[in-house]
């Protein structure tokens, strides 16, 4: 079986392409390093290096092994870091969030939770909603902040508890230069007649928005789909169309004017939710997190 020491030695030689340099780097003798590499080649039943004098290069098999060992060592180093930091001996909460929900709610949630419970390590990770829920199902996450859409999926309904944390995640907004900027409210029909800037299909909320308009018989004039909040904002600022942004991103940008659309606000699928796995009782960090959400959202 390949050992961690062999993997460290191997990666060093891959990097230096010189046994003498790697031996100095690893604080071992060159014969010791040579034996370790030879044993690794015997273990894998293949030649890992081609030797030309003092210079050595990887074979194709060596390159494949190097790529796999790099992945293993990344996980090993992460585990070692967790052990050294003491995280494993403290309470922790692993929270996943989708991009739009994160930009709208996560900074407040993170600050409040870490201030209220400094002894609990809060680990956060961003991703697509569906992938986050898969990680939640596989116990790689403890809670997920994402859109409402998944709450009705039969697969997830059986496995997760969920509750609303924030209504109307996105707001329709226009440029301050737009003729619509003087309005306080707007209808779905009026929006459908304007050029529209949307997040791309990687964001489930975009699909929800399009379905809401389609169900009412309205066609949308989409001029841009982007995965970047900044790009959506810039197009709206330039008056190239109206668009949907997280409420905070819209209201904090003085060049944008939010317009209330009651039909959209009260449509299903436009809210943020927290999901957690069904247990007989949530553990302490998760229980505290859910209580905190009730108090601040």
């Amino acid at each position: 079986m390949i050992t961690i020491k062999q993997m460290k030695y191997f990666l060093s030689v891959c990097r230096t392409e010189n046994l003498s340099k790697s031996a100095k780097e690893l604080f071992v003798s060159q014969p010791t390093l040579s034996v370790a590499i030879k044993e690794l080649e015997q273990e894998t039943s293949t030649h890992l290096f081609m030797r030309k004098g003092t210079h050595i290069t990887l074979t194709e098999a060596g390159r494949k092994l190097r790529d796999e060992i790099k992945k293993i060592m990344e996980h090993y180093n992460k585990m070692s870091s967790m052990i050294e930091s003491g995280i494993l001996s403290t309470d922790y909460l692993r929270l996943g969030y989708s991009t739009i929900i994160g930009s709208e709610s996560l900074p407040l949630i993170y600050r409040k939770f870490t201030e209220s419970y400094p002894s609990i390590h809060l680990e956060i990770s961003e991703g697509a909603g569906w992938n986050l829920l898969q990680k939640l199902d596989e116990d790689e996450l403890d809670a997920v902040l994402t859109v409402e859409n998944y709450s009705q999926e039969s697969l997830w309904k059986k496995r997760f508890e969920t509750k609303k944390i924030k209504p109307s995640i996105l707001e329709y907004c226009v440029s301050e230069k737009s003729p619509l900027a003087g309005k306080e409210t707007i209808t779905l029909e009026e929006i459908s007649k304007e050029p529209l800037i949307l997040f791309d299909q990687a964001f489930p909320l975009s699909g929800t928005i399009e379905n809401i308009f389609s169900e009412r018989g309205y066609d949308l004039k989409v001029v841009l789909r982007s995965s970047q909040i900044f790009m959506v904002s810039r197009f709206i600022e330039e008056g190239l169309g109206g668009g949907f942004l997280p409420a905070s991103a819209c209201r904090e940008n003085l060049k944008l004017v939010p317009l209330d659309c009651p039909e959209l606000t009260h449509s299903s699928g436009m809210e943020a939710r927290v999901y957690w796995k069904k247990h007989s009782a949530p553990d302490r960090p998760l229980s505290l997190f859910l209580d905190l959400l009730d108090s601040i959202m």
Side-chain angles (χ1 to χ4, degrees), residues 3-49:
T3 66
I4 293 295
K5 180 181 290 186
Q6 285 176 316
M7 288 191 279
K8 288 181 177 179
Y9 285 5
F10 176 69
L11 289 181
S12 175
V13 177
C14 289
R15 185 173 59 256
T16 66
E17 298 185 335
N18 185 286
L19 288 173
S20 178
K21 288 182 180 179
S22 284
K24 291 180 181 179
E25 179 181 276
L26 297 165
F27 300 102
V28 298
S29 67
Q30 186 170 327
T32 298
L33 181 58
S34 297
V35 169
I37 296 299
K38 185 176 181 180
E39 289 176 346
L40 183 58
E41 290 184 320
Q42 292 173 344
E43 186 78 28
T44 57
S45 301
T46 187
H47 291 294
L48 301 174
F49 294 100

Side-chain angles (χ1 to χ4, degrees), residues 170-190:
L170 298 179
E171 285 192 328
Y172 180 76
C173 49
V174 297
S175 168
E176 61 179 353
K177 300 177 287 188
S178 169
L180 299 175
K183 296 174 63 69
E184 292 186 1
T185 63
I186 194 167
T187 65
L188 292 178
E189 182 178 8
E190 288 174 312

Side-chain angles (χ1 to χ4, degrees), residues 188-189 208-219 262-264 266-268:
L188 292 178
E189 182 178 8
T208 298
I209 289 169
E210 291 182 277
N211 287 338
I212 290 171
F213 280 89
S214 177
E215 288 169 0
R216 290 162 175 77
Y218 301 131
D219 293 325
E263 295 169 275
L264 192 66
H266 299 125
S267 296
S268 61

Side-chain angles (χ1 to χ4, degrees), residues 54 121-123 142 147 149 206 211-212 267 283:
T54 59
H121 176 72
L122 180 57
E123 179 180 307
D142 302 303
V147 295
N149 305 57
S206 290
N211 287 338
I212 290 171
S267 296
D283 61 17

Side-chain angles (χ1 to χ4, degrees), residues 120-156:
I120 299 177
H121 176 72
L122 180 57
E123 179 180 307
I124 58 175
S125 56
E126 183 178 359
W130 186 266
N131 290 336
L132 292 172
L133 292 178
Q134 286 182 315
K135 289 184 178 181
L136 178 62
D137 192 41
E138 294 167 2
D139 293 318
E140 295 179 25
L141 292 171
D142 302 303
V144 168
L145 302 178
T146 188
V147 295
E148 178 190 16
N149 305 57
Y150 305 110
S151 64
Q152 299 304 315
E153 292 278 354
S154 57
L155 173 65
W156 301 140

